[in-house]
Amino acid sequence: MKQLYLIIAVTLGMTFITACSSDEPATDNTVEELGLTPAEVVVGEDMGEFNTELFKAFAEIEDKDDNLIVSPFSVSAYLSMQANYCSETTRQQIFKALGTSDLDALNSFNAKMISNLGKLDKTTTLNLANSVWYDRRYSLKPGVKDNLSEYFNADFFPCNPRQSDIKDAVNNWIKQKTNDKITDFYNGDSFISMVINALYFNGTWKKQFEKGSTEKEKFYVGEKIYMVDMMKRTNTSEELAEGNNFTACRRDFGNGAYTCTFILPEEGCDINKFIAGLSYDDIASLNFKNTSCDLYVPKFELRGKFDKLITVFSSLGIDNLDTPLVLTESERKNFDITVYHETYIKLDEKGAEVAAVTGDLAYTSSGIILPEFKLDRPFIFMINETSTNACILAGRISKFK
């Protein structure tokens, strides 16, 4: 039997269009179609290249010796919301990155994904949520609330960002939407708006690993050797495929609506050079076949936290992200935005649990730096009775001992 250590890259894949063509009677957990229109199908297909390029962009700027987990779906949902209120120049940049030029199709595609993805497999959980938090002193741009509510099912929270409880409110919303997996996404900095996407996935392997078969095994990284909890299925049948310089294994969750693909570069190949040269076609063209093999997959639980998404977006040709709020000319001159991304995955004998959040923090100089009254030079003071303005005491402070 061929022994494969399939342990390098994990990609959660979704079957956008699945029709049951078998003559066998449908089961209670048969995959159903998402019901996408031809235009929406194109949006989904074209996002495949975006997924690969986004992962490569992250890999280029993050620590090349560390683990890396990102959620292209969460990031694409965030960018799709941006496309509804950013400038026309930035909208076209987002279209180019996502591979579309049709805002209506992009919006309706996201609407059907949010509405239907959680229904594809009764044994798999997938929850998608969006929200907009904004300073109630500002007004939303025309159409923002209608579009983001209709197509992205977004919750809107006008608030006072200066209140001490707003940090807990934002993080509690995220905590709830990610099943307690991401709990401190927002650090409490002042903002005028925050647009957030949250994702939670929990899938069970169609063919699970036996816990009793998991043993300590070696994991090789250059000259370093790590001892890991290695799950295994021996003398089993798995879907394998050969690429130009890698081998891949695809495993189903539940009824097959969701899959996990492991990609293993050939021995001696530098993982970062491999990722840099990887293309979407390299993955899309794989021909998986049921193959008898011994399968070894390490258990792991990882988190990722990233604050360089503006750099990532810039490398993809996207600049000048915006806020859904109406700003004055002065506020626009002092406007800035930071985008954050946080991820979680636990992969074990039972399956995979995943959470991801993508969100921004938009601010102006007046929004992030509060007006300051600082008595750090000579001053006067008065103590008065308010109804008559009678001055109880007046003074000048010009020095201290």
Side-chain angles (χ1 to χ4, degrees):
M1 296 296 175
K2 188 176 181 182
Q3 193 176 74
L4 298 177
Y5 291 82
L6 305 169
I7 43 186
I8 301 299
V10 181
T11 304
L12 285 174
M14 287 170 287
T15 306
F16 293 129
I17 294 294
T18 306
C20 184
S21 58
S22 172
D23 292 332
E24 297 179 3
T27 65
D28 290 339
N29 198 24
T30 301
V31 183
E32 297 181 1
E33 294 183 10
L34 279 172
L36 301 182
T37 66
E40 292 162 355
V41 171
V42 171
V43 172
E45 291 175 344
D46 288 346
M47 277 193 185
E49 186 169 353
F50 167 78
N51 297 340
T52 306
E53 294 305 311
L54 180 75
F55 182 72
K56 291 167 64 175
F58 269 99
E60 181 63 28
I61 68 169
E62 296 296 334
D63 186 346
K64 290 180 168 54
D65 294 325
D66 203 354
N67 296 311
L68 175 66
I69 52 171
V70 301
S71 173
F73 189 85
S74 177
V75 175
S76 70
Y78 167 79
L79 288 175
S80 296
M81 288 190 285
Q82 267 278 342
N84 282 271
Y85 54 78
C86 63
S87 69
E88 183 59 31
T89 298
T90 303
R91 182 179 295 114
Q92 293 303 319
Q93 293 171 347
I94 292 174
F95 283 168
K96 185 176 181 180
L98 295 181
T100 185
S101 59
D102 187 339
L103 182 60
D104 290 337
L106 182 64
N107 283 343
S108 59
F109 170 82
N110 277 278
K112 288 182 178 177
M113 299 293 272
I114 292 169
S115 176
N116 298 326
L117 284 184
K119 305 173 184 177
L120 294 181
D121 183 354
K122 294 179 181 179
T123 67
T124 298
T125 299
L126 180 62
N127 297 326
L128 304 167
N130 299 294
S131 63
V132 179
W133 304 74
Y134 65 99
D135 190 325
R136 63 166 61 101
R137 297 177 299 178
Y138 292 81
S139 300
L140 292 165
K141 292 178 180 177
V144 166
K145 190 165 187 178
D146 288 342
N147 283 359
L148 298 195
S149 296
E150 178 179 357
Y151 297 113
F152 297 88
N153 197 28
D155 298 322
F156 282 79
F157 299 99
C159 60
N160 179 359
R162 293 159 297 283
Q163 288 184 336
S164 59
D165 61 350
I166 193 64
K167 178 181 177 180
D168 287 342
V170 173
N171 284 329
N172 285 338
W173 183 91
I174 292 172
K175 180 180 178 180
Q176 179 187 15
K177 301 305 181 182
T178 61
N179 198 33
D180 297 343
K181 297 308 173 187
I182 297 178
T183 59
D184 60 350
F185 181 81
Y186 170 47
N187 64 6
D189 284 349
S190 184
F191 64 89
I192 58 171
S193 69
M194 295 179 67
V195 178
I196 302 172
N197 168 268
L199 174 155
Y200 176 75
F201 172 91
N202 195 338
T204 302
W205 298 121
K206 184 177 181 179
K207 296 189 291 185
Q208 295 185 24
F209 295 86
E210 293 289 339
K211 286 189 176 181
S213 298
T214 300
E215 296 179 335
K216 289 292 184 181
E217 295 263 1
K218 294 178 179 179
F219 184 94
Y220 300 90
V221 181
E223 296 181 356
K224 294 182 180 179
I225 299 176
Y226 299 87
M227 297 304 296
V228 301
D229 292 322
M230 190 73 75
M231 304 180 294
K232 59 183 176 181
R233 288 177 58 89
T234 57
N235 195 19
T236 185
S237 178
E238 299 286 342
E239 288 189 76
L240 304 183
E242 295 286 343
N244 288 334
N245 56 349
F246 66 92
T247 307
C249 175
R250 183 175 65 193
R251 308 201 79 235
D252 288 345
F253 295 103
N255 63 4
Y258 299 91
T259 63
C260 180
T261 302
F262 299 90
I263 298 174
L264 181 67
E266 62 187 14
E267 192 170 350
C269 179
D270 179 82
I271 184 64
N272 293 303
K273 291 181 180 178
F274 173 81
I275 292 173
L278 189 65
S279 72
Y280 170 65
D281 289 340
D282 291 333
I283 301 172
S285 62
L286 289 173
N287 182 24
F288 287 93
K289 297 179 181 179
N290 283 320
T291 306
S292 295
C293 66
D294 293 341
L295 176 66
Y296 294 77
V297 179
K299 293 173 60 172
F300 54 85
E301 185 173 13
L302 301 173
R303 294 184 180 274
K305 201 162 188 175
F306 313 97
D307 59 5
K308 300 177 183 176
L309 267 74
I310 294 298
T311 302
V312 170
F313 291 152
S314 181
S315 72
L316 298 175
I318 303 172
D319 296 304
N320 300 318
L321 296 178
D322 208 348
T323 172
L325 304 180
V326 176
L327 300 182
T328 66
E329 183 177 347
S330 174
E331 290 167 337
R332 177 64 61 184
K333 290 179 180 178
N334 296 305
F335 172 78
D336 206 349
I337 188 169
T338 303
V339 185
Y340 301 92
H341 186 57
E342 189 168 347
T343 52
Y344 167 87
I345 182 171
K346 180 181 180 181
L347 189 140
D348 59 18
E349 292 90 351
K350 184 178 179 180
E353 187 176 22
V354 172
V357 178
T358 306
D360 62 29
L361 191 147
Y363 53 91
T364 66
S365 59
S366 59
I368 195 168
I369 303 175
L370 299 178
E372 182 179 80
F373 184 81
K374 187 175 184 180
L375 296 171
D376 59 355
R377 53 189 179 274
F379 63 92
I380 63 174
F381 71 93
M382 293 169 284
I383 299 175
N384 299 83
E385 188 276 322
T386 56
S387 65
T388 63
N389 207 30
C391 186
I392 308 301
L393 189 72
R396 180 191 69 198
I397 304 298
S398 56
K399 68 176 183 177
F400 290 86
K401 292 183 179 180

